[in-house]
């Protein structure tokens, strides 16, 4: 307890000093130029410095999963660099939504709205302030009444348009938060069991013979995109599968070695990894927007999912969930993603070919999605990937 109080006091001091030392946005490009080695850029630092120069904690956006994903990646960069400005920025963002008494003005009626809850757990761990525990508990308590399919899977959202539906995206929106919440607040038995159950159920419904997952499943089999026999969506949209792949390794990292669902989850991940290796673009090392249809001329390689797959395959091989050769598959993916980041004339990073947010649809719908630059889906996934692979030697 004394150690935790000391850690919280030191963190508070660092945050206060960082707040005093924060530079104006106009100065950020010069800071970038001074800090970045010319021969071997630290792309995580460059990307975070660029993004925090473009947006303040007040202008980066509302409470949302894309911003939450990006800021989680920024936190990983903070953990390595110990640059307190990065943690101050995250705290200032979260404090827009969390009052001093721990109240938070979110209803948590969708899985998407829960993803940024990871930041609440992080800030409790870093500062010891109880308001973050109280805010995080609102998400945990919401799960007690959150709607489920007949076999217990969380609906994508508590709305009529998402009723009875499991989207592969959803497992990342809630389950990494859940296992981290359980560890931080002594609720691990429920959290680990629930997270493993959700991954198992989603994988069972969504994974097909080629190892890949379909984007979504409708238990009622009535929504327009659902196959009337299987309830499955028609395509393998890459980022939906990317969310699942990252959630799988996060949960496997957290649950006990003797957890009863562990073997099943590793089996799902191994089948998925084989599918990803099969459909990796040999020319670029990246993956296509519709994963299994790379031979079509209008398909294109997408940066956020390529980052997600690269991370998951690398971490899976490192942890022994996957065969060691997947580290080489991940290395090809990493090199492919690095080809999509560069410095602009202003000295700031640009990350290209990121699909904007996407509903469930058909091939033409996915292919027609905007290919954005510096979309938060891609920035966050890039940081998670880069912090995993940046110091791993090439094989």
């Amino acid at each position: 307890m004394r150690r935790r109080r000391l850690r919280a006091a030191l963190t508070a001091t660092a945050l206060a000093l960082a707040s005093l030392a924060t530079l104006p946005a106009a100065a950020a490009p010069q800071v970038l130029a001074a800090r970045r080695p010319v021969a071997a850029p630290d792309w995580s630092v460059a990307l975070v410095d660029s993004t925090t120069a473009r947006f303040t904690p007040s202008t980066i956006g509302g409470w949302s999963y894309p911003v939450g994903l990006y800021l989680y990646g920024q936190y990983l960069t903070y953990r390595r660099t110990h640059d307190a400005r990065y943690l101050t920025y995250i705290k200032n963002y979260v404090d827009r939504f969390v009052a001093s008494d721990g109240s938070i003005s979110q209803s948590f009626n969708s899985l998407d709205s829960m993803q940024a809850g990871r930041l609440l757990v992080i800030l409790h761990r870093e500062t010891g302030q109880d308001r973050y525990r109280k805010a995080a508990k609102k998400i945990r308590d919401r799960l007690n009444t959150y709607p489920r399919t007949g076999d217990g899977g969380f609906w994508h959202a508590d709305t009529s348009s998402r009723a009875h539906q499991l989207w592969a995206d959803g497992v990342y929106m809630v389950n990494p938060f859940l296992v981290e919440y359980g560890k931080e607040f002594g609720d691990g038995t429920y959290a680990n069991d629930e997270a493993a159950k959700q991954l198992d159920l989603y994988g069972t419904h969504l994974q097909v013979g080629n190892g890949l997952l379909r984007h979504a499943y409708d238990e009622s089999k009535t929504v327009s995109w659902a196959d009337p026999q299987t309830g499955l969506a028609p395509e393998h949209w890459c980022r939906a599968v990317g969310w699942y792949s990252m959630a799988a390794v996060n949960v496997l990292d957290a649950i006990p070695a003797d957890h009863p669902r562990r073997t099943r989850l590793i089996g799902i991940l191994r089948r998925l990894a084989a599918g990803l290796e099969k459909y990796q673009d040999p020319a670029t090392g990246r993956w296509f927007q519709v994963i299994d249809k790379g031979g079509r001329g209008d398909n294109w390689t997408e940066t956020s999912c390529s980052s997600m797959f690269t991370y998951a395959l690398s971490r899976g091989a490192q942890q022994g969930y996957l065969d060691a050769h997947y580290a080489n598959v991940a290395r090809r993916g990493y090199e492919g993603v690095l080809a999509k980041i560069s410095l602009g004339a202003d000295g700031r990073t640009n990350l290209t070919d990121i699909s904007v947010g996407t509903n469930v649809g058909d091939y033409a719908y996915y292919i027609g999605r905007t290919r954005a630059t510096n979309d938060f889906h891609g920035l966050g996934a890039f940081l998670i990937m880069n912090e995993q692979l940046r110091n791993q030697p090439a094989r």
Side-chain angles (χ1 to χ4, degrees):
M1 182 63 71
R2 290 180 59 191
R3 183 181 298 173
R4 183 165 191 153
R5 285 199 297 267
L6 177 61
R7 182 182 181 185
L10 291 172
T11 298
T13 301
L15 290 173
L17 291 172
S19 296
L20 293 173
T22 300
L23 295 172
Q30 287 76 21
V31 174
L32 272 174
R35 294 178 59 179
R36 186 178 54 254
V38 174
D42 185 331
W43 285 116
S44 292
V45 167
L47 190 153
V48 170
D49 285 348
S50 297
T51 305
T52 56
R54 289 176 171 127
F55 304 99
T56 70
S58 297
T59 63
I60 196 170
W63 182 268
S64 70
Y65 77 87
V67 177
L69 177 75
Y70 163 73
L71 290 176
Y72 177 76
Q74 179 167 310
Y75 175 69
L76 296 180
T77 308
Y78 160 75
R79 287 288 302 271
R80 173 172 60 85
T81 65
H82 307 292
D83 189 331
R85 295 177 306 152
Y86 298 166
L87 186 60
T88 298
Y89 188 103
I90 296 168
K91 185 176 185 299
N92 289 341
Y93 165 80
V94 171
D95 287 353
R96 291 169 47 199
F97 309 99
V98 179
S100 58
D101 64 356
S103 58
I104 181 170
S105 58
Q106 304 293 322
S107 59
F108 301 115
N109 286 329
S110 70
L111 299 184
D112 287 352
S113 67
M114 300 178 187
Q115 193 280 334
R118 297 182 88 176
L119 304 178
L120 303 173
V121 179
I122 285 167
L123 288 174
H124 182 270
R125 184 166 63 242
E126 293 289 346
T127 71
Q129 294 182 21
D130 196 50
R131 61 171 165 164
Y132 300 118
R133 178 193 63 81
K134 292 177 179 177
K137 190 173 186 297
K138 186 172 181 180
I139 302 176
R140 164 65 181 88
D141 290 346
R142 178 67 179 96
L143 295 178
N144 293 335
T145 59
Y146 195 82
R148 300 170 181 252
T149 57
D151 54 4
F154 291 137
W155 291 5
H156 193 64
D158 189 3
T159 62
S160 59
S161 63
R162 303 289 185 263
H164 312 289
Q165 296 171 26
L166 309 181
W167 294 22
D169 322 41
V171 292
Y172 190 82
M173 302 304 150
V174 66
N175 293 305
F177 158 80
L178 194 53
V179 294
E180 290 159 11
Y181 177 96
K183 180 179 180 181
E184 181 72 8
F185 301 114
D187 196 16
T189 299
Y190 163 77
N192 293 336
D193 287 350
E194 186 73 86
K197 174 182 177 180
Q198 295 300 321
L199 274 172
D200 190 355
L201 286 173
Y202 274 66
T204 298
H205 284 297
L206 295 172
Q207 192 168 49
V208 296
N210 61 8
L212 304 179
L213 280 68
R214 297 288 177 84
H215 187 172
Y217 161 78
D218 175 28
E219 181 181 41
S220 72
K221 302 176 183 177
T222 60
V223 73
S224 60
W225 47 257
D227 182 285
Q229 275 72 51
T230 66
L232 289 172
E235 300 292 354
H236 302 293
W237 177 48
C238 71
R239 192 160 66 229
V241 184
W243 292 123
Y244 188 96
S245 69
M246 291 202 302
V249 294
N250 288 169
V251 171
L252 284 168
D253 281 352
I255 62 175
D258 61 352
H259 194 279
R261 293 187 189 263
R262 189 176 188 85
T263 299
R264 286 181 55 81
L265 295 182
I266 290 175
I268 292 171
L269 180 61
R270 287 177 176 173
R271 291 190 292 275
L272 172 56
L276 293 176
E277 182 178 19
K278 176 180 178 180
Y279 292 110
Q280 185 179 32
D281 179 26
T284 68
R286 297 185 295 271
W287 283 267
F288 286 91
Q289 173 79 332
V290 178
I291 303 174
D292 62 330
K293 295 179 179 176
R296 297 194 182 185
D298 55 351
N299 207 346
W300 47 280
T301 59
E302 200 277 332
T303 301
S304 69
C305 78
S306 296
S307 300
M308 293 172 173
F309 295 148
T310 295
Y311 163 78
L313 294 173
S314 174
R315 182 66 178 172
Q318 182 184 55
Q319 294 292 90
Y321 312 141
L322 302 175
D323 185 82
H325 87 274
Y326 283 104
N328 295 326
V329 181
R331 175 57 55 175
R332 292 194 294 273
Y334 185 49
E335 292 168 355
V337 173
L338 289 179
K340 291 295 182 177
I341 193 168
S342 61
L343 295 177
D346 59 359
R348 298 177 184 172
T349 56
N350 290 305
L351 186 67
T352 61
D353 286 340
I354 306 163
S355 175
V356 296
T358 298
N359 292 318
V360 182
D362 59 13
Y363 177 85
Y365 170 76
Y366 295 118
I367 298 307
R369 300 304 286 162
T370 298
R371 299 164 67 167
T373 296
N374 297 330
D375 184 282
F376 289 120
H377 297 87
L379 299 184
F382 179 93
L383 290 172
I384 293 169
M385 173 201 70
N386 198 53
E387 289 306 296
Q388 167 67 23
L389 280 103
R390 63 182 302 276
N391 284 330
Q392 291 193 7
R395 291 171 179 261

